[in-house]
PDB file of all heavy atoms in Angstrom:
ATOM      1  N   LYS A   1      12.663  13.808   7.960  1.00 86.00           N
ATOM      2  CA  LYS A   1      13.740  14.751   8.261  1.00 86.00           C
ATOM      3  C   LYS A   1      14.766  14.197   9.247  1.00 86.00           C
ATOM      4  O   LYS A   1      15.806  14.810   9.479  1.00 86.00           O
ATOM      5  CB  LYS A   1      13.152  16.059   8.784  1.00 86.00           C
ATOM      6  CG  LYS A   1      12.385  15.924  10.082  1.00 86.00           C
ATOM      7  CD  LYS A   1      11.834  17.267  10.550  1.00 86.00           C
ATOM      8  CE  LYS A   1      10.676  17.711   9.717  1.00 86.00           C
ATOM      9  NZ  LYS A   1       9.456  16.888   9.917  1.00 86.00           N
ATOM     10  N   HIS A   2      14.482  13.019   9.801  1.00 91.00           N
ATOM     11  CA  HIS A   2      15.401  12.404  10.758  1.00 91.00           C
ATOM     12  C   HIS A   2      16.272  11.338  10.099  1.00 91.00           C
ATOM     13  O   HIS A   2      16.721  10.404  10.770  1.00 91.00           O
ATOM     14  CB  HIS A   2      14.621  11.807  11.930  1.00 91.00           C
ATOM     15  CG  HIS A   2      13.890  12.836  12.739  1.00 91.00           C
ATOM     16  ND1 HIS A   2      14.539  13.731  13.567  1.00 91.00           N
ATOM     17  CD2 HIS A   2      12.566  13.135  12.817  1.00 91.00           C
ATOM     18  CE1 HIS A   2      13.655  14.522  14.130  1.00 91.00           C
ATOM     19  NE2 HIS A   2      12.445  14.191  13.696  1.00 91.00           N
ATOM     20  N   GLY A   3      16.503  11.470   8.828  1.00 90.00           N
ATOM     21  CA  GLY A   3      17.400  10.545   8.141  1.00 90.00           C
ATOM     22  C   GLY A   3      17.018  10.210   6.715  1.00 90.00           C
ATOM     23  O   GLY A   3      17.787  10.438   5.786  1.00 90.00           O
ATOM     24  N   PRO A   4      15.834   9.656   6.481  1.00 87.00           N
ATOM     25  CA  PRO A   4      15.479   9.202   5.131  1.00 87.00           C
ATOM     26  C   PRO A   4      15.454  10.305   4.072  1.00 87.00           C
ATOM     27  O   PRO A   4      15.616  10.014   2.894  1.00 87.00           O
ATOM     28  CB  PRO A   4      14.068   8.610   5.334  1.00 87.00           C
ATOM     29  CG  PRO A   4      14.026   8.207   6.763  1.00 87.00           C
ATOM     30  CD  PRO A   4      14.835   9.239   7.485  1.00 87.00           C
ATOM     31  N   LEU A   5      15.249  11.558   4.488  1.00 89.00           N
ATOM     32  CA  LEU A   5      15.201  12.644   3.509  1.00 89.00           C
ATOM     33  C   LEU A   5      16.491  12.735   2.701  1.00 89.00           C
ATOM     34  O   LEU A   5      16.498  13.245   1.580  1.00 89.00           O
ATOM     35  CB  LEU A   5      14.928  13.972   4.232  1.00 89.00           C
ATOM     36  CG  LEU A   5      14.319  15.105   3.399  1.00 89.00           C
ATOM     37  CD1 LEU A   5      12.980  14.690   2.814  1.00 89.00           C
ATOM     38  CD2 LEU A   5      14.150  16.349   4.260  1.00 89.00           C
ATOM     39  N   ALA A   6      17.591  12.221   3.242  1.00 90.00           N
ATOM     40  CA  ALA A   6      18.864  12.228   2.525  1.00 90.00           C
ATOM     41  C   ALA A   6      18.801  11.408   1.245  1.00 90.00           C
ATOM     42  O   ALA A   6      19.607  11.612   0.326  1.00 90.00           O
ATOM     43  CB  ALA A   6      19.973  11.688   3.435  1.00 90.00           C
ATOM     44  N   LEU A   7      17.867  10.474   1.164  1.00 91.00           N
ATOM     45  CA  LEU A   7      17.758   9.602   0.001  1.00 91.00           C
ATOM     46  C   LEU A   7      16.762  10.093  -1.036  1.00 91.00           C
ATOM     47  O   LEU A   7      16.672   9.514  -2.127  1.00 91.00           O
ATOM     48  CB  LEU A   7      17.356   8.186   0.444  1.00 91.00           C
ATOM     49  CG  LEU A   7      18.367   7.457   1.322  1.00 91.00           C
ATOM     50  CD1 LEU A   7      17.800   6.116   1.778  1.00 91.00           C
ATOM     51  CD2 LEU A   7      19.681   7.254   0.583  1.00 91.00           C
ATOM     52  N   ILE A   8      16.003  11.130  -0.721  1.00 92.00           N
ATOM     53  CA  ILE A   8      15.022  11.642  -1.680  1.00 92.00           C
ATOM     54  C   ILE A   8      15.754  12.240  -2.877  1.00 92.00           C
ATOM     55  O   ILE A   8      16.677  13.038  -2.733  1.00 92.00           O
ATOM     56  CB  ILE A   8      14.123  12.699  -1.019  1.00 92.00           C
ATOM     57  CG1 ILE A   8      13.289  12.066   0.093  1.00 92.00           C
ATOM     58  CG2 ILE A   8      13.226  13.365  -2.063  1.00 92.00           C
ATOM     59  CD1 ILE A   8      12.306  11.026  -0.390  1.00 92.00           C
ATOM     60  N   SER A   9      15.329  11.829  -4.066  1.00 93.00           N
ATOM     61  CA  SER A   9      15.944  12.312  -5.305  1.00 93.00           C
ATOM     62  C   SER A   9      14.949  12.111  -6.446  1.00 93.00           C
ATOM     63  O   SER A   9      13.921  11.448  -6.275  1.00 93.00           O
ATOM     64  CB  SER A   9      17.237  11.540  -5.589  1.00 93.00           C
ATOM     65  OG  SER A   9      16.926  10.229  -6.035  1.00 93.00           O
ATOM     66  N   PRO A  10      15.247  12.646  -7.634  1.00 93.00           N
ATOM     67  CA  PRO A  10      14.343  12.438  -8.773  1.00 93.00           C
ATOM     68  C   PRO A  10      14.199  10.973  -9.167  1.00 93.00           C
ATOM     69  O   PRO A  10      13.250  10.610  -9.870  1.00 93.00           O
ATOM     70  CB  PRO A  10      15.013  13.245  -9.901  1.00 93.00           C
ATOM     71  CG  PRO A  10      15.826  14.281  -9.205  1.00 93.00           C
ATOM     72  CD  PRO A  10      16.319  13.618  -7.959  1.00 93.00           C
ATOM     73  N   GLU A  11      15.128  10.123  -8.725  1.00 94.00           N
ATOM     74  CA  GLU A  11      15.087   8.705  -9.096  1.00 94.00           C
ATOM     75  C   GLU A  11      14.277   7.853  -8.120  1.00 94.00           C
ATOM     76  O   GLU A  11      14.018   6.676  -8.383  1.00 94.00           O
ATOM     77  CB  GLU A  11      16.513   8.141  -9.177  1.00 94.00           C
ATOM     78  CG  GLU A  11      17.317   8.646 -10.362  1.00 94.00           C
ATOM     79  CD  GLU A  11      17.777  10.085 -10.170  1.00 94.00           C
ATOM     80  OE1 GLU A  11      18.150  10.441  -9.019  1.00 94.00           O
ATOM     81  OE2 GLU A  11      17.729  10.853 -11.159  1.00 94.00           O
ATOM     82  N   ILE A  12      13.898   8.413  -6.964  1.00 95.00           N
ATOM     83  CA  ILE A  12      13.205   7.625  -5.943  1.00 95.00           C
ATOM     84  C   ILE A  12      11.822   8.223  -5.696  1.00 95.00           C
ATOM     85  O   ILE A  12      11.699   9.282  -5.062  1.00 95.00           O
ATOM     86  CB  ILE A  12      14.006   7.579  -4.630  1.00 95.00           C
ATOM     87  CG1 ILE A  12      15.361   6.903  -4.864  1.00 95.00           C
ATOM     88  CG2 ILE A  12      13.227   6.835  -3.545  1.00 95.00           C
ATOM     89  CD1 ILE A  12      16.212   6.754  -3.637  1.00 95.00           C
ATOM     90  N   PRO A  13      10.778   7.572  -6.176  1.00 96.00           N
ATOM     91  CA  PRO A  13       9.418   8.088  -5.947  1.00 96.00           C
ATOM     92  C   PRO A  13       8.963   7.837  -4.513  1.00 96.00           C
ATOM     93  O   PRO A  13       9.424   6.913  -3.846  1.00 96.00           O
ATOM     94  CB  PRO A  13       8.569   7.285  -6.940  1.00 96.00           C
ATOM     95  CG  PRO A  13       9.328   6.014  -7.144  1.00 96.00           C
ATOM     96  CD  PRO A  13      10.778   6.361  -7.008  1.00 96.00           C
ATOM     97  N   THR A  14       8.050   8.657  -4.071  1.00 96.00           N
ATOM     98  CA  THR A  14       7.429   8.501  -2.758  1.00 96.00           C
ATOM     99  C   THR A  14       5.926   8.356  -2.935  1.00 96.00           C
ATOM    100  O   THR A  14       5.295   9.147  -3.630  1.00 96.00           O
ATOM    101  CB  THR A  14       7.714   9.712  -1.854  1.00 96.00           C
ATOM    102  OG1 THR A  14       9.120   9.830  -1.640  1.00 96.00           O
ATOM    103  CG2 THR A  14       7.007   9.564  -0.510  1.00 96.00           C
ATOM    104  N   VAL A  15       5.389   7.332  -2.310  1.00 97.00           N
ATOM    105  CA  VAL A  15       3.940   7.132  -2.281  1.00 97.00           C
ATOM    106  C   VAL A  15       3.456   7.642  -0.926  1.00 97.00           C
ATOM    107  O   VAL A  15       3.835   7.099   0.113  1.00 97.00           O
ATOM    108  CB  VAL A  15       3.567   5.652  -2.477  1.00 97.00           C
ATOM    109  CG1 VAL A  15       2.045   5.468  -2.422  1.00 97.00           C
ATOM    110  CG2 VAL A  15       4.123   5.123  -3.794  1.00 97.00           C
ATOM    111  N   ALA A  16       2.653   8.672  -0.952  1.00 97.00           N
ATOM    112  CA  ALA A  16       2.182   9.307   0.275  1.00 97.00           C
ATOM    113  C   ALA A  16       0.726   8.938   0.514  1.00 97.00           C
ATOM    114  O   ALA A  16      -0.120   9.145  -0.364  1.00 97.00           O
ATOM    115  CB  ALA A  16       2.340  10.817   0.193  1.00 97.00           C
ATOM    116  N   VAL A  17       0.432   8.391   1.684  1.00 97.00           N
ATOM    117  CA  VAL A  17      -0.934   8.026   2.058  1.00 97.00           C
ATOM    118  C   VAL A  17      -1.470   9.139   2.959  1.00 97.00           C
ATOM    119  O   VAL A  17      -0.993   9.329   4.086  1.00 97.00           O
ATOM    120  CB  VAL A  17      -0.965   6.671   2.781  1.00 97.00           C
ATOM    121  CG1 VAL A  17      -2.401   6.262   3.067  1.00 97.00           C
ATOM    122  CG2 VAL A  17      -0.267   5.603   1.935  1.00 97.00           C
ATOM    123  N   VAL A  18      -2.464   9.885   2.446  1.00 97.00           N
ATOM    124  CA  VAL A  18      -2.886  11.123   3.100  1.00 97.00           C
ATOM    125  C   VAL A  18      -4.401  11.107   3.342  1.00 97.00           C
ATOM    126  O   VAL A  18      -5.178  11.511   2.466  1.00 97.00           O
ATOM    127  CB  VAL A  18      -2.498  12.353   2.255  1.00 97.00           C
ATOM    128  CG1 VAL A  18      -2.780  13.633   3.044  1.00 97.00           C
ATOM    129  CG2 VAL A  18      -1.027  12.293   1.849  1.00 97.00           C
ATOM    130  N   PRO A  19      -4.842  10.629   4.484  1.00 96.00           N
ATOM    131  CA  PRO A  19      -6.275  10.728   4.794  1.00 96.00           C
ATOM    132  C   PRO A  19      -6.695  12.189   4.969  1.00 96.00           C
ATOM    133  O   PRO A  19      -5.884  13.041   5.333  1.00 96.00           O
ATOM    134  CB  PRO A  19      -6.407   9.961   6.119  1.00 96.00           C
ATOM    135  CG  PRO A  19      -5.119   9.211   6.281  1.00 96.00           C
ATOM    136  CD  PRO A  19      -4.083   9.977   5.547  1.00 96.00           C
ATOM    137  N   ASP A  20      -7.961  12.453   4.716  1.00 94.00           N
ATOM    138  CA  ASP A  20      -8.486  13.810   4.898  1.00 94.00           C
ATOM    139  C   ASP A  20      -8.893  13.969   6.362  1.00 94.00           C
ATOM    140  O   ASP A  20     -10.061  13.939   6.716  1.00 94.00           O
ATOM    141  CB  ASP A  20      -9.684  14.027   3.967  1.00 94.00           C
ATOM    142  CG  ASP A  20     -10.077  15.499   3.901  1.00 94.00           C
ATOM    143  OD1 ASP A  20      -9.416  16.325   4.568  1.00 94.00           O
ATOM    144  OD2 ASP A  20     -11.043  15.824   3.188  1.00 94.00           O
ATOM    145  N   ASP A  21      -7.884  14.127   7.210  1.00 92.00           N
ATOM    146  CA  ASP A  21      -8.139  14.219   8.649  1.00 92.00           C
ATOM    147  C   ASP A  21      -7.440  15.433   9.240  1.00 92.00           C
ATOM    148  O   ASP A  21      -6.997  16.327   8.513  1.00 92.00           O
ATOM    149  CB  ASP A  21      -7.705  12.931   9.352  1.00 92.00           C
ATOM    150  CG  ASP A  21      -6.216  12.611   9.148  1.00 92.00           C
ATOM    151  OD1 ASP A  21      -5.459  13.510   8.723  1.00 92.00           O
ATOM    152  OD2 ASP A  21      -5.825  11.464   9.417  1.00 92.00           O
ATOM    153  N   GLU A  22      -7.343  15.464  10.547  1.00 93.00           N
ATOM    154  CA  GLU A  22      -6.772  16.621  11.244  1.00 93.00           C
ATOM    155  C   GLU A  22      -5.292  16.828  10.951  1.00 93.00           C
ATOM    156  O   GLU A  22      -4.724  17.868  11.293  1.00 93.00           O
ATOM    157  CB  GLU A  22      -6.997  16.474  12.757  1.00 93.00           C
ATOM    158  CG  GLU A  22      -6.195  15.377  13.450  1.00 93.00           C
ATOM    159  CD  GLU A  22      -6.793  13.988  13.305  1.00 93.00           C
ATOM    160  OE1 GLU A  22      -7.789  13.838  12.565  1.00 93.00           O
ATOM    161  OE2 GLU A  22      -6.259  13.047  13.921  1.00 93.00           O
ATOM    162  N   LEU A  23      -4.643  15.848  10.311  1.00 93.00           N
ATOM    163  CA  LEU A  23      -3.218  15.956  10.013  1.00 93.00           C
ATOM    164  C   LEU A  23      -2.951  16.330   8.557  1.00 93.00           C
ATOM    165  O   LEU A  23      -1.821  16.221   8.088  1.00 93.00           O
ATOM    166  CB  LEU A  23      -2.532  14.619  10.345  1.00 93.00           C
ATOM    167  CG  LEU A  23      -2.571  14.213  11.818  1.00 93.00           C
ATOM    168  CD1 LEU A  23      -2.012  12.812  12.001  1.00 93.00           C
ATOM    169  CD2 LEU A  23      -1.807  15.204  12.671  1.00 93.00           C
ATOM    170  N   TRP A  24      -3.987  16.780   7.852  1.00 93.00           N
ATOM    171  CA  TRP A  24      -3.823  17.093   6.422  1.00 93.00           C
ATOM    172  C   TRP A  24      -2.715  18.122   6.193  1.00 93.00           C
ATOM    173  O   TRP A  24      -1.835  17.923   5.353  1.00 93.00           O
ATOM    174  CB  TRP A  24      -5.142  17.612   5.848  1.00 93.00           C
ATOM    175  CG  TRP A  24      -5.039  18.057   4.413  1.00 93.00           C
ATOM    176  CD1 TRP A  24      -4.739  19.307   3.948  1.00 93.00           C
ATOM    177  CD2 TRP A  24      -5.198  17.235   3.253  1.00 93.00           C
ATOM    178  NE1 TRP A  24      -4.711  19.331   2.580  1.00 93.00           N
ATOM    179  CE2 TRP A  24      -4.985  18.063   2.122  1.00 93.00           C
ATOM    180  CE3 TRP A  24      -5.486  15.897   3.055  1.00 93.00           C
ATOM    181  CZ2 TRP A  24      -5.072  17.588   0.818  1.00 93.00           C
ATOM    182  CZ3 TRP A  24      -5.576  15.419   1.756  1.00 93.00           C
ATOM    183  CH2 TRP A  24      -5.373  16.262   0.657  1.00 93.00           C
ATOM    184  N   GLU A  25      -2.741  19.221   6.905  1.00 94.00           N
ATOM    185  CA  GLU A  25      -1.742  20.282   6.693  1.00 94.00           C
ATOM    186  C   GLU A  25      -0.344  19.792   7.046  1.00 94.00           C
ATOM    187  O   GLU A  25       0.632  20.146   6.370  1.00 94.00           O
ATOM    188  CB  GLU A  25      -2.105  21.526   7.512  1.00 94.00           C
ATOM    189  CG  GLU A  25      -3.430  22.175   7.124  1.00 94.00           C
ATOM    190  CD  GLU A  25      -3.464  22.607   5.657  1.00 94.00           C
ATOM    191  OE1 GLU A  25      -2.388  22.863   5.086  1.00 94.00           O
ATOM    192  OE2 GLU A  25      -4.575  22.662   5.101  1.00 94.00           O
ATOM    193  N   LYS A  26      -0.234  18.988   8.083  1.00 94.00           N
ATOM    194  CA  LYS A  26       1.074  18.426   8.420  1.00 94.00           C
ATOM    195  C   LYS A  26       1.595  17.561   7.272  1.00 94.00           C
ATOM    196  O   LYS A  26       2.780  17.611   6.916  1.00 94.00           O
ATOM    197  CB  LYS A  26       0.965  17.571   9.690  1.00 94.00           C
ATOM    198  CG  LYS A  26       0.576  18.329  10.939  1.00 94.00           C
ATOM    199  CD  LYS A  26       1.710  19.170  11.466  1.00 94.00           C
ATOM    200  CE  LYS A  26       1.339  19.786  12.803  1.00 94.00           C
ATOM    201  NZ  LYS A  26       2.428  20.687  13.301  1.00 94.00           N
ATOM    202  N   ASN A  27       0.709  16.778   6.690  1.00 93.00           N
ATOM    203  CA  ASN A  27       1.114  15.924   5.579  1.00 93.00           C
ATOM    204  C   ASN A  27       1.509  16.752   4.359  1.00 93.00           C
ATOM    205  O   ASN A  27       2.452  16.403   3.634  1.00 93.00           O
ATOM    206  CB  ASN A  27      -0.021  14.967   5.202  1.00 93.00           C
ATOM    207  CG  ASN A  27      -0.078  13.752   6.109  1.00 93.00           C
ATOM    208  OD1 ASN A  27       0.933  13.132   6.389  1.00 93.00           O
ATOM    209  ND2 ASN A  27      -1.269  13.421   6.587  1.00 93.00           N
ATOM    210  N   MET A  28       0.798  17.847   4.108  1.00 93.00           N
ATOM    211  CA  MET A  28       1.159  18.709   2.983  1.00 93.00           C
ATOM    212  C   MET A  28       2.562  19.292   3.181  1.00 93.00           C
ATOM    213  O   MET A  28       3.316  19.481   2.210  1.00 93.00           O
ATOM    214  CB  MET A  28       0.128  19.842   2.828  1.00 93.00           C
ATOM    215  CG  MET A  28      -1.232  19.378   2.327  1.00 93.00           C
ATOM    216  SD  MET A  28      -1.201  18.529   0.720  1.00 93.00           S
ATOM    217  CE  MET A  28      -1.393  16.827   1.254  1.00 93.00           C
ATOM    218  N   GLY A  29       2.911  19.550   4.430  1.00 93.00           N
ATOM    219  CA  GLY A  29       4.271  20.037   4.704  1.00 93.00           C
ATOM    220  C   GLY A  29       5.316  18.996   4.343  1.00 93.00           C
ATOM    221  O   GLY A  29       6.377  19.327   3.782  1.00 93.00           O
ATOM    222  N   SER A  30       5.043  17.733   4.633  1.00 93.00           N
ATOM    223  CA  SER A  30       5.981  16.663   4.285  1.00 93.00           C
ATOM    224  C   SER A  30       6.112  16.526   2.762  1.00 93.00           C
ATOM    225  O   SER A  30       7.216  16.313   2.243  1.00 93.00           O
ATOM    226  CB  SER A  30       5.511  15.341   4.885  1.00 93.00           C
ATOM    227  OG  SER A  30       5.513  15.403   6.291  1.00 93.00           O
ATOM    228  N   LEU A  31       4.980  16.659   2.054  1.00 94.00           N
ATOM    229  CA  LEU A  31       5.047  16.570   0.591  1.00 94.00           C
ATOM    230  C   LEU A  31       5.865  17.722   0.017  1.00 94.00           C
ATOM    231  O   LEU A  31       6.598  17.539  -0.966  1.00 94.00           O
ATOM    232  CB  LEU A  31       3.634  16.588  -0.012  1.00 94.00           C
ATOM    233  CG  LEU A  31       2.670  15.483   0.427  1.00 94.00           C
ATOM    234  CD1 LEU A  31       1.452  15.446  -0.505  1.00 94.00           C
ATOM    235  CD2 LEU A  31       3.341  14.128   0.454  1.00 94.00           C
ATOM    236  N   ALA A  32       5.748  18.905   0.639  1.00 93.00           N
ATOM    237  CA  ALA A  32       6.532  20.048   0.167  1.00 93.00           C
ATOM    238  C   ALA A  32       8.032  19.795   0.326  1.00 93.00           C
ATOM    239  O   ALA A  32       8.840  20.188  -0.535  1.00 93.00           O
ATOM    240  CB  ALA A  32       6.117  21.305   0.930  1.00 93.00           C
ATOM    241  N   GLU A  33       8.415  19.149   1.418  1.00 93.00           N
ATOM    242  CA  GLU A  33       9.829  18.816   1.626  1.00 93.00           C
ATOM    243  C   GLU A  33      10.336  17.888   0.518  1.00 93.00           C
ATOM    244  O   GLU A  33      11.479  17.992   0.067  1.00 93.00           O
ATOM    245  CB  GLU A  33      10.011  18.149   2.987  1.00 93.00           C
ATOM    246  CG  GLU A  33       9.741  19.062   4.167  1.00 93.00           C
ATOM    247  CD  GLU A  33       9.786  18.314   5.488  1.00 93.00           C
ATOM    248  OE1 GLU A  33       9.890  17.064   5.467  1.00 93.00           O
ATOM    249  OE2 GLU A  33       9.712  18.971   6.537  1.00 93.00           O
ATOM    250  N   ILE A  34       9.493  16.962   0.094  1.00 94.00           N
ATOM    251  CA  ILE A  34       9.887  16.017  -0.956  1.00 94.00           C
ATOM    252  C   ILE A  34       9.979  16.743  -2.301  1.00 94.00           C
ATOM    253  O   ILE A  34      10.938  16.543  -3.068  1.00 94.00           O
ATOM    254  CB  ILE A  34       8.884  14.852  -1.019  1.00 94.00           C
ATOM    255  CG1 ILE A  34       8.973  14.033   0.271  1.00 94.00           C
ATOM    256  CG2 ILE A  34       9.144  13.964  -2.234  1.00 94.00           C
ATOM    257  CD1 ILE A  34       7.850  13.043   0.442  1.00 94.00           C
ATOM    258  N   ARG A  35       8.987  17.603  -2.592  1.00 92.00           N
ATOM    259  CA  ARG A  35       9.024  18.350  -3.861  1.00 92.00           C
ATOM    260  C   ARG A  35      10.268  19.235  -3.935  1.00 92.00           C
ATOM    261  O   ARG A  35      10.867  19.382  -5.005  1.00 92.00           O
ATOM    262  CB  ARG A  35       7.777  19.233  -3.975  1.00 92.00           C
ATOM    263  CG  ARG A  35       6.502  18.492  -4.268  1.00 92.00           C
ATOM    264  CD  ARG A  35       5.399  19.471  -4.674  1.00 92.00           C
ATOM    265  NE  ARG A  35       4.096  18.903  -4.419  1.00 92.00           N
ATOM    266  CZ  ARG A  35       3.370  19.148  -3.337  1.00 92.00           C
ATOM    267  NH1 ARG A  35       3.851  19.945  -2.389  1.00 92.00           N
ATOM    268  NH2 ARG A  35       2.186  18.588  -3.196  1.00 92.00           N
ATOM    269  N   ALA A  36      10.637  19.828  -2.807  1.00 91.00           N
ATOM    270  CA  ALA A  36      11.787  20.729  -2.793  1.00 91.00           C
ATOM    271  C   ALA A  36      13.069  20.002  -3.197  1.00 91.00           C
ATOM    272  O   ALA A  36      14.036  20.628  -3.643  1.00 91.00           O
ATOM    273  CB  ALA A  36      11.948  21.354  -1.410  1.00 91.00           C
ATOM    274  N   ARG A  37      13.068  18.688  -3.054  1.00 93.00           N
ATOM    275  CA  ARG A  37      14.237  17.883  -3.428  1.00 93.00           C
ATOM    276  C   ARG A  37      13.976  17.099  -4.713  1.00 93.00           C
ATOM    277  O   ARG A  37      14.641  16.114  -4.994  1.00 93.00           O
ATOM    278  CB  ARG A  37      14.598  16.957  -2.270  1.00 93.00           C
ATOM    279  CG  ARG A  37      15.177  17.757  -1.090  1.00 93.00           C
ATOM    280  CD  ARG A  37      14.911  17.116   0.253  1.00 93.00           C
ATOM    281  NE  ARG A  37      15.458  17.957   1.331  1.00 93.00           N
ATOM    282  CZ  ARG A  37      14.779  18.966   1.879  1.00 93.00           C
ATOM    283  NH1 ARG A  37      13.563  19.265   1.469  1.00 93.00           N
ATOM    284  NH2 ARG A  37      15.347  19.695   2.838  1.00 93.00           N
ATOM    285  N   ARG A  38      12.962  17.554  -5.461  1.00 92.00           N
ATOM    286  CA  ARG A  38      12.599  17.003  -6.781  1.00 92.00           C
ATOM    287  C   ARG A  38      12.248  15.518  -6.718  1.00 92.00           C
ATOM    288  O   ARG A  38      12.496  14.766  -7.655  1.00 92.00           O
ATOM    289  CB  ARG A  38      13.710  17.263  -7.800  1.00 92.00           C
ATOM    290  CG  ARG A  38      13.931  18.753  -8.072  1.00 92.00           C
ATOM    291  CD  ARG A  38      14.959  18.966  -9.151  1.00 92.00           C
ATOM    292  NE  ARG A  38      16.260  18.425  -8.771  1.00 92.00           N
ATOM    293  CZ  ARG A  38      17.139  17.933  -9.631  1.00 92.00           C
ATOM    294  NH1 ARG A  38      16.859  17.873 -10.917  1.00 92.00           N
ATOM    295  NH2 ARG A  38      18.319  17.488  -9.213  1.00 92.00           N
ATOM    296  N   GLY A  39      11.660  15.110  -5.604  1.00 93.00           N
ATOM    297  CA  GLY A  39      11.221  13.733  -5.479  1.00 93.00           C
ATOM    298  C   GLY A  39       9.851  13.528  -6.117  1.00 93.00           C
ATOM    299  O   GLY A  39       8.916  14.274  -5.821  1.00 93.00           O
ATOM    300  N   PRO A  40       9.689  12.558  -7.002  1.00 95.00           N
ATOM    301  CA  PRO A  40       8.375  12.280  -7.605  1.00 95.00           C
ATOM    302  C   PRO A  40       7.389  11.805  -6.539  1.00 95.00           C
ATOM    303  O   PRO A  40       7.758  11.069  -5.618  1.00 95.00           O
ATOM    304  CB  PRO A  40       8.666  11.162  -8.615  1.00 95.00           C
ATOM    305  CG  PRO A  40      10.159  11.177  -8.807  1.00 95.00           C
ATOM    306  CD  PRO A  40      10.746  11.662  -7.520  1.00 95.00           C
ATOM    307  N   LEU A  41       6.131  12.195  -6.683  1.00 96.00           N
ATOM    308  CA  LEU A  41       5.115  11.891  -5.689  1.00 96.00           C
ATOM    309  C   LEU A  41       3.911  11.190  -6.312  1.00 96.00           C
ATOM    310  O   LEU A  41       3.425  11.597  -7.371  1.00 96.00           O
ATOM    311  CB  LEU A  41       4.618  13.169  -5.016  1.00 96.00           C
ATOM    312  CG  LEU A  41       5.439  13.716  -3.845  1.00 96.00           C
ATOM    313  CD1 LEU A  41       5.000  15.134  -3.510  1.00 96.00           C
ATOM    314  CD2 LEU A  41       5.270  12.801  -2.625  1.00 96.00           C
ATOM    315  N   VAL A  42       3.457  10.136  -5.654  1.00 96.00           N
ATOM    316  CA  VAL A  42       2.154   9.535  -5.923  1.00 96.00           C
ATOM    317  C   VAL A  42       1.370   9.644  -4.621  1.00 96.00           C
ATOM    318  O   VAL A  42       1.819   9.164  -3.579  1.00 96.00           O
ATOM    319  CB  VAL A  42       2.273   8.063  -6.356  1.00 96.00           C
ATOM    320  CG1 VAL A  42       0.888   7.426  -6.458  1.00 96.00           C
ATOM    321  CG2 VAL A  42       3.010   7.949  -7.681  1.00 96.00           C
ATOM    322  N   VAL A  43       0.217  10.297  -4.674  1.00 97.00           N
ATOM    323  CA  VAL A  43      -0.556  10.575  -3.469  1.00 97.00           C
ATOM    324  C   VAL A  43      -1.833   9.742  -3.492  1.00 97.00           C
ATOM    325  O   VAL A  43      -2.566   9.737  -4.491  1.00 97.00           O
ATOM    326  CB  VAL A  43      -0.895  12.081  -3.361  1.00 97.00           C
ATOM    327  CG1 VAL A  43      -1.741  12.338  -2.112  1.00 97.00           C
ATOM    328  CG2 VAL A  43       0.379  12.906  -3.329  1.00 97.00           C
ATOM    329  N   VAL A  44      -2.070   9.033  -2.403  1.00 97.00           N
ATOM    330  CA  VAL A  44      -3.301   8.254  -2.235  1.00 97.00           C
ATOM    331  C   VAL A  44      -4.100   8.930  -1.124  1.00 97.00           C
ATOM    332  O   VAL A  44      -3.619   9.078   0.005  1.00 97.00           O
ATOM    333  CB  VAL A  44      -2.992   6.791  -1.866  1.00 97.00           C
ATOM    334  CG1 VAL A  44      -4.281   5.991  -1.720  1.00 97.00           C
ATOM    335  CG2 VAL A  44      -2.096   6.158  -2.923  1.00 97.00           C
TER     336      VAL A  44
END
């Protein structure tokens, strides 16, 4: 949200590395921001 989100689009995929740790919900929030801008997601 501090700059790179401007480049998220259907043409630019994002690979999200999401450990099952205390930051899971925070990471899900970031993925939601990407989906809202129709960014393709690959989640590891």
